[in-house]
Each structure stands twice: as structure tokens, then as C-alpha cells.
Amino acid sequence: MNFNYSENQQLISETISDFSKRKIIPNLMQWDNAQYFPIDTFKELGELGMLGVLVPVKYGGSGFGYNEYVTVVSEIGKVCGSIGLSVAAHNSLCVGHILKYGSEAQKLKWLPGLSTGEYIGAWALTETGTGSDALQMNTTATKKGDKWILNGSKNFITHGVSSDVIVVVARTGEKGDSHGISAFIVDKKKSGVKSGKKEDKLGMRASETSEVIFDNCEVDSLDILGEEGEGFIQAMKILDGGRISIAALALGISKGAYSSSVLYSKEREQFGRPISQFQAIAFKLADMKTEIEVSELMIYRACQLIMNNMPVTKESAMAKYYASETCVKIANDAVQIFGGYGYTKDFPVEKYYRDSKLCTIGEGTSEIQKIVISKHII
């Protein structure tokens, strides 16, 4: 495999770098402090083709593959984990679910707006009492004539306030039945759907996370994704791609923390020489670089499998597990290299440190990844 950036990947990297310098870097700490989700900036990424990366051109997307998608998420993550997370959730979850399981009519209706940033997408699986144990969800969809009536609430939903379109996974059968759950496309403007509590988070603070409440929300039968009872199986497949996106986000944060550390270690002097010349610091940088390279190899291996329609569940779980855990370690080491300054908001590594932890939790905790991996081994 050629590990050099392709022409498309190089163009994406340059485009994001230029956009970040103009639109993200001057504002990111203000957004972070205020927990402000910059909708206008996010939609501009749609105009650049970053919100429908995997969507075919005929549906208004960029028509790229997973290699380009990893480049998009990781390059944004290098600058701001929050914006990277929002891009990942929009692409992999909401857009990804409709792209993979939607009917032709559903794709034509929703994908052009989602791909260009006209619509912001959300994906609602998690609930307050059922995080990893999704089969016990309480949100229900009850058939009534040619309509479905949704009742319940979802929690930790990215873009739960600002979204225009939500893919909702709800119970249509008995608890614990993997064929008793279905997925629906919900227009956020419908009556019976509203946003609840917005979370006050440690990191990723400019990526909006909130509760979404359904109170007798009426959904047309034409808005069910696939067949009744397929929702849980669909969601698990969607998470295969979602794990790649979070791994890519972790990779980007790791690269950002590492690059900042290398630069600082060459500039910061103690005892008459740059601290990069001390073995304690040099060895930290060596570990960081090695872990980044391993993460990248695992991610692109998973990309090759998913693009060739091969089983990828184990490999995507391994990539997500390793990349996210090493991201936390790399961000921690970056703060240590910066010393006291690393603990202040005047330098970038404290934000990388706060943002990194979400990667070990979102779209399946590290513990869940180990369950997935071990099941495939055993």
C-alpha cells in the first residue's frame, strides 16, 4: 500500500489548513470557553465538500473514499477536536446511515442538503440509562395506521440542539430483542421533538451535545430506514465506520499535540540548552511519533477493508481502541513537556488534553472495543 497522501488527500489537507488559519484558529478558544457551536463555520465546511465526503456526486456529495475521509477528520482534529468531532458525527452517523440503508427516495430527499451543509445531521442511539447496552433502550416507536409515534428521550446527542435532521433508533419490539429496534429519519421541525439539556463538558466544548426528547412525535412510514426491526443491526454496522472516524479524530489530536511538543521543546531552554536535547523529553517525543505511526497504519488498514466490502468490525474496533488510548497518553505527555505552561490556556496542549478523553468514550468505550475484539478472537 502507498502510504503517501494521494493528490486528493494533499488537496484536502491544504484546503483544511487554509480554512483553519482563517476561520478556526482565531476563534477556537473563544468557542471552547463559551461552549459555542459555530454553525456558520460548520456550514462553510459543507460548501467545501467536507460534510458529504463519502456521498456519491449524484447525491450532492464529494464522492471520496475512506482514505480521504480520514484525512478530512484528522486534519481538522489537528487544529480543533470539537469541529473534528462534529464533522465526524455528521458524516459517519447521520449521513452514513442514510447513505447505507436509505431508499433511493430518502437519499435524494436528504443527502444533498446534508452534504452541502444546508442541513445539520444528528444520530440518536444513546439514552440516559442505556449507553453501551442499547438493546435495553426505552424510546419507543408505535405503529398507528401509516404513521409511527415516537416517545422517549435520547442523551449525549451531537447536534441535538442545532440539527435539522435526526436519524433516531427506537424500540419497535420487546426489550433485548436485536430485531425489535428500527431506525427512522426525523425532520427536527416536526412537532413532538425538542431539545433538552445541553451538556457542560470537560472537552470538545464547541461540539454541541444535548438531550433530544420525543413526545408523541409522528413520523411517516416512508421515513423508516430499511425494514422494521433492522435498526439495531444497522446501527452496529454504522458504528464500524464511526469507529474509524473517531480513530481518525484521535489521530488528528495526537498529531496536533505532538507537533506542538516538538516545536516547543526546540524553543524552550533549561540549563543552557533546548529541552529537546534532554533524553527524558526526546524519548517522550520518540514514543509519541511511534504511537502516531502505529495508529495511522491501523486506521488505513481498516479503511482498505471497508472500501473493499470486507469484514471490518474487529479491525475498526482495534484502530479506535489503540488510537484513542494513545491519544490520551500523547496529550498527557504533551502537557508534561510544556510543564507549567501546558496547564494554562495560553498554550494549545491543555485543550488537546481535555479533548482527547472523549475519543476513548464516544461511539463505544474502550471497554466495549475490547469486548468486540475479544469476541472475534475467541
Side-chain angles (χ1 to χ4, degrees):
M1 180 180 175
N2 182 0
F3 292 102
N4 294 321
Y5 267 11
S6 67
E7 186 177 340
N8 283 335
Q9 288 175 287
Q10 188 61 44
L11 180 61
I12 288 168
S13 177
E14 292 169 359
T15 299
I16 290 174
S17 177
D18 176 67
F19 182 83
S20 297
K21 288 174 184 175
R22 293 184 294 107
K23 299 287 186 173
I24 299 178
I25 293 173
N27 302 300
L28 63 86
M29 289 311 296
Q30 180 182 343
W31 296 339
D32 183 82
N33 289 331
Q35 297 203 81
Y36 172 74
F37 174 49
I39 294 175
D40 291 342
T41 303
F42 187 75
K43 291 191 171 189
E44 285 184 63
L45 285 167
E47 295 171 9
L48 293 174
M50 307 301 173
L51 299 185
V53 183
L54 300 169
V55 176
V57 174
K58 71 174 182 176
Y59 300 125
S62 299
F64 289 138
Y66 269 85
N67 288 345
E68 288 85 0
Y69 179 47
V70 166
T71 304
V72 169
V73 175
S74 61
E75 289 293 327
I76 295 173
K78 279 165 63 174
V79 178
C80 180
S82 295
I83 305 303
L85 176 62
S86 281
V87 169
H90 177 94
N91 273 284
S92 284
L93 301 180
C94 180
V95 174
H97 203 142
I98 296 172
L99 178 62
K100 189 172 181 67
Y101 294 107
S103 66
E104 185 67 11
Q106 289 170 334
K107 292 176 184 178
L108 289 169
K109 180 178 180 180
W110 297 110
L111 290 180
L114 286 164
S115 297
T116 58
E118 179 185 354
Y119 304 145
I120 295 175
W123 194 72
L125 173 67
T126 300
E127 298 181 4
T128 303
T130 60
S132 299
D133 189 10
L135 285 176
Q136 300 301 315
M137 69 175 59
N138 293 307
T139 299
T140 59
T142 306
K143 191 75 179 288
K144 185 178 180 181
D146 63 347
K147 306 288 185 183
W148 288 90
I149 310 300
L150 270 63
N151 281 288
S153 63
K154 297 291 183 177
N155 201 23
F156 297 125
I157 307 305
T158 303
H159 307 149
V161 176
S162 300
S163 56
D164 303 289
V165 185
I166 309 176
V167 172
V168 182
V169 185
R171 186 162 53 82
T172 51
E174 297 299 317
K175 280 189 178 183
D177 181 4
S178 61
H179 295 283
I181 291 173
S182 304
F184 302 86
I185 305 172
V186 178
D187 186 333
K188 186 79 180 306
K189 295 193 296 289
K190 282 184 174 291
S191 62
V193 54
K194 64 179 181 179
S195 304
K197 176 190 175 186
K198 181 180 174 182
E199 301 296 340
D200 185 1
K201 299 178 298 181
L202 169 70
M204 304 289 192
R205 290 166 60 85
S207 180
E208 176 187 279
T209 306
S210 78
E211 182 184 29
V212 179
I213 301 165
F214 301 94
D215 182 8
N216 290 317
C217 177
E218 191 176 275
V219 180
D220 196 276
S221 292
L222 293 174
D223 290 326
I224 192 169
L225 279 159
E227 299 296 326
E228 180 183 346
E230 293 181 348
F232 180 77
I233 309 301
Q234 292 175 2
M236 295 304 102
K237 293 294 183 183
I238 292 303
L239 286 173
D240 283 345
R243 288 168 183 143
I244 293 174
S245 72
I246 296 298
L249 178 60
L251 176 67
I253 294 170
S254 294
K255 285 184 174 182
Y258 165 74
S259 297
S260 297
S261 297
V262 170
L263 182 63
Y264 181 81
S265 71
K266 291 179 178 180
E267 294 175 345
R268 173 68 167 169
E269 291 191 1
Q270 291 287 273
F271 306 103
R273 53 179 169 155
I275 62 172
S276 60
Q277 294 183 16
F278 291 97
Q279 190 179 74
I281 302 300
F283 278 14
K284 284 188 188 297
L285 296 173
D287 284 341
M288 291 164 128
K289 182 62 173 174
T290 301
E291 288 157 353
I292 286 170
E293 297 262 338
V294 173
S295 296
E296 202 155 24
L297 287 169
M298 296 180 77
I299 292 166
Y300 281 112
R301 179 192 179 202
C303 288
Q304 287 300 106
L305 291 173
I306 201 168
M307 287 190 296
N308 286 287
N309 297 313
M310 297 174 69
V312 72
T313 302
K314 173 171 66 73
E315 288 76 11
S316 65
M318 291 170 71
K320 196 266 187 190
Y321 169 54
Y322 184 83
S324 62
E325 289 291 340
T326 56
C327 177
V328 173
K329 178 180 178 296
I330 288 167
N332 180 69
D333 283 346
V335 172
Q336 200 70 20
I337 289 170
F338 274 72
Y341 291 114
Y343 205 65
T344 72
K345 291 184 181 290
D346 294 329
F347 289 82
V349 292
E350 72 86 29
K351 184 175 184 297
Y352 289 127
Y353 183 64
R354 288 186 290 106
D355 287 347
S356 67
K357 188 58 190 171
L358 184 277
C359 297
T360 70
I361 299 170
E363 297 193 34
T365 63
S366 291
E367 290 73 22
I368 289 295
Q369 305 312 315
K370 287 194 276 190
I371 290 173
V372 172
I373 295 163
S374 61
K375 280 184 176 179
H376 280 76
I377 293 169
I378 298 166

